[in-house]
Amino acid sequence: MSFWNHIISVFKRKELSEQRRGLLTSIREGIPAVIVANLLGGPILTIYIVYLGGTASDVGLVMAIPALANLVQLVAAFYMQRFTNRRLLLTIFGSLHRILWVTTGLIPFLVPEELRVGVFIGLFFMSFISASASSVFWTSLVADMVPPQVRGTYFGIRNTIHWAVGSIVLLVGGQILERMNDQSGFIILYAISAVCAVWNGMELWRYPNPPFQKSEASSSAALFLKPLKDRGFMKATVFIAIYILLQNMAIPLFSYVMLETLHISKWMITVITTVQMVVTMFSYYYWGNLNTKYDARTLLLWALPIIAASCVLWVGIEIIPVIAVLLLVNIVFGFGAGGYNLLIFNFIIGDTPKSDRPMYVALFAALTGITGFIGPLVGGWIYKQIADSPFWLQSYGISLFVGAALLVLALTIGPLVLRVERSAQVEGEQLEG
């Protein structure tokens, strides 16, 4: 099915088979989810935290929370072996995630000024615990829905559609904040998000609910130890976790540096981020097609240095107009991030045995979540410490040092650990699919 036929058939669900209806439900469900994520997340999230009175450390902490919340996936993976109605669990936790996030919009009206940031962090943390739990059920469900031979193409198309929506939404959201005062602007953004949260919950319930294949592990300990004994999987996971630790010291704080150090307007920040999202949107389709020819691990070796280069390019501020540099940085990052986001998902669901996939997903999320949590905290602390340092260090210095370290890691250690080492069990499952 061509790209445009995929889009058209989204609205012709009744004419399709059960499997195709499930695949298109996944596309439709993601649209309201993307709207909420872009109206309340990304650079707008940074702007909202600053609006509530937050500092660089607060921004770093909030940006780290989604990663820390991934630890709950271990609990969700164990629980899935007992309660196998994945659609019900996905609907409950997915809806709770967005409802709690939308609730943070009430903070300026109900919470004293000195408590606003703390209350926001608490609600945001509970929201992303729910999101993390729902992602285990979603990944397991979707991995069963999408045939292995079309995963690269399908997720490339799905992500392209969603990022197209996200790009437009972010641009509109930035325009709303630019043209209105902060309070009025955020009221509109949160009102739209509330409607989309309800819409998303309705779409989540439309997912098919195929039988869940339980693990053959004899005990909870054996279930947990299975991915730990998979050397190829663990080497790749530990490497990616370290890479995420380093990159999260800089990348999640890009918007903060633009807003507070470079004094870029809110509108321009959303425009720059939208450019990044448009590039990411098109790169998903490109990387998805490549993934039909090359293994996800191989392609990750191409994507990771591109992300590192986006950090190094901040040094261009010294010789090129700031806006031009920021656009270049975000174009390069968007292309690399599109590859990473698609390929890391296909790596997890493609290189893992079906019956034990939830635990593999949970362990990967937990390890990368720990390092993903530490990274922004360290980054926020560093930016706070260098508040009185030379401008070059505050503006591009940290990104430059982090980018150089990421390049070294990706080009030296990466090829050693991201070799294609799939077990016969996984290969057999893919052939059966």
Side-chain angles (χ1 to χ4, degrees):
M1 185 179 288
S2 72
F3 177 77
W4 291 111
N5 285 338
H6 266 284
I7 297 177
I8 294 170
S9 59
V10 169
F11 303 100
K12 297 182 178 180
R13 193 193 312 244
K14 293 181 180 179
E15 301 176 11
L16 303 173
S17 66
E18 179 69 21
Q19 183 187 51
R20 287 184 179 272
R21 283 200 298 270
L23 298 181
L24 294 171
T25 293
S26 176
I27 294 176
R28 288 173 57 129
E29 173 270 321
I31 292 174
V34 164
I35 293 174
V36 174
N38 283 279
L39 289 183
L40 305 186
I44 293 178
L45 175 60
T46 300
I47 294 169
Y48 190 62
I49 297 168
V50 173
Y51 167 66
L52 293 178
T55 64
S57 296
D58 295 322
V59 173
L61 175 59
V62 171
M63 295 301 176
I65 283 175
L68 178 66
N70 281 341
L71 291 172
V72 81
Q73 292 194 21
L74 290 171
V75 178
F78 279 118
Y79 189 71
M80 197 188 302
Q81 299 297 322
R82 298 183 180 181
F83 190 80
T84 58
N85 190 334
R86 291 175 289 179
R87 181 177 63 185
L88 177 60
L89 293 171
L90 171 62
T91 303
I92 291 172
F93 285 100
S95 298
L96 187 59
H97 157 55
R98 293 177 184 89
I99 290 171
L100 286 169
W101 198 355
V102 168
T103 302
T104 63
L106 299 174
I107 289 176
F109 306 100
L110 302 178
V111 180
E113 189 172 341
E114 65 275 9
L115 299 177
R116 289 177 181 175
V117 174
V119 172
F120 177 87
I121 290 172
L123 286 172
F124 192 79
F125 183 62
M126 289 189 292
S127 170
F128 275 84
I129 284 180
S130 300
S132 183
S134 71
S135 70
V136 176
F137 311 126
W138 185 86
T139 302
S140 175
L141 196 62
V142 171
D144 289 351
M145 284 168 40
V146 184
Q149 63 270 24
V150 300
R151 280 174 183 160
T153 301
Y154 170 75
F155 287 113
I157 291 171
R158 179 183 185 272
N159 292 347
T160 299
I161 295 170
H162 290 168
W163 280 74
V165 172
S167 301
I168 297 170
V169 167
L170 181 59
L171 205 57
V172 171
Q175 189 66 259
I176 290 172
L177 288 178
E178 184 72 16
R179 292 180 175 273
M180 299 184 175
N181 60 59
D182 288 340
Q183 179 174 304
S184 299
F186 282 119
I187 286 174
I188 293 175
L189 298 187
Y190 272 88
I192 296 172
S193 298
V195 173
C196 288
V198 175
W199 175 17
N200 177 257
M202 295 169 62
E203 290 291 344
L204 287 173
W205 189 247
R206 295 177 186 269
Y207 271 103
N209 196 26
F212 173 63
Q213 181 178 332
K214 293 185 178 182
S215 172
E216 298 178 359
S218 58
S219 65
S220 296
L223 178 65
F224 178 72
L225 289 174
K226 271 200 169 184
L228 290 175
K229 293 179 179 180
D230 188 331
R231 289 186 60 198
F233 174 79
M234 287 306 301
K235 284 194 300 183
T237 298
V238 171
F239 167 76
I240 292 168
I242 295 172
Y243 191 94
I244 288 175
L245 170 65
L246 287 174
Q247 79 163 26
N248 277 15
M249 291 168 60
I251 292 175
L253 292 156
F254 277 4
S255 294
Y256 181 83
V257 174
M258 286 189 278
L259 183 67
E260 294 293 298
T261 303
L262 300 178
H263 303 294
I264 306 297
S265 71
K266 298 171 186 176
W267 164 243
M268 184 53 65
I269 291 174
T270 57
V271 169
I272 291 170
T273 308
T274 300
V275 171
Q276 176 206 119
M277 294 181 67
V278 170
V279 173
T280 303
M281 173 186 74
F282 287 108
S283 76
Y284 273 131
Y285 195 64
Y286 172 79
W287 288 106
N289 286 334
L290 282 178
N291 199 197
T292 63
K293 301 177 182 179
Y294 302 99
D295 189 273
R297 290 174 181 247
T298 300
L299 294 176
L300 277 171
L301 290 174
W302 303 359
L304 294 180
I306 297 174
I307 295 175
S310 71
C311 295
V312 174
L313 287 172
W314 275 79
V315 72
I317 290 174
E318 285 285 2
I319 56 175
I320 302 174
V322 171
I323 298 300
V325 173
L326 295 178
L327 285 170
L328 179 61
V329 165
N330 281 272
I331 288 171
V332 174
F333 176 70
F335 185 71
Y340 173 84
N341 292 336
L342 175 69
L343 298 167
I344 206 65
F345 181 78
N346 288 348
F347 157 67
I348 296 172
I349 67 173
D351 282 22
T352 54
K354 180 178 179 180
S355 60
D356 297 297
R357 186 170 293 137
M359 184 52 66
Y360 273 79
V361 172
L363 186 61
F364 178 88
L367 291 178
T368 56
I370 291 172
T371 58
F373 172 73
I374 295 172
L377 288 182
V378 174
W381 178 83
I382 291 174
Y383 276 107
K384 186 175 181 180
Q385 299 305 308
I386 64 171
D388 298 322
S389 298
F391 177 77
W392 73 268
L393 185 59
Q394 295 184 57
S395 58
Y396 68 82
I398 303 302
S399 295
L400 173 61
F401 295 141
V402 168
L406 290 174
L407 274 176
V408 171
L409 188 65
L411 297 177
T412 58
I413 307 300
L416 299 178
V417 298
L418 290 177
R419 294 171 178 169
V420 180
E421 299 178 3
R422 291 185 288 182
S423 66
Q425 180 182 1
V426 174
E427 292 285 4
E429 288 180 0
Q430 292 194 351
L431 289 174
E432 291 175 6

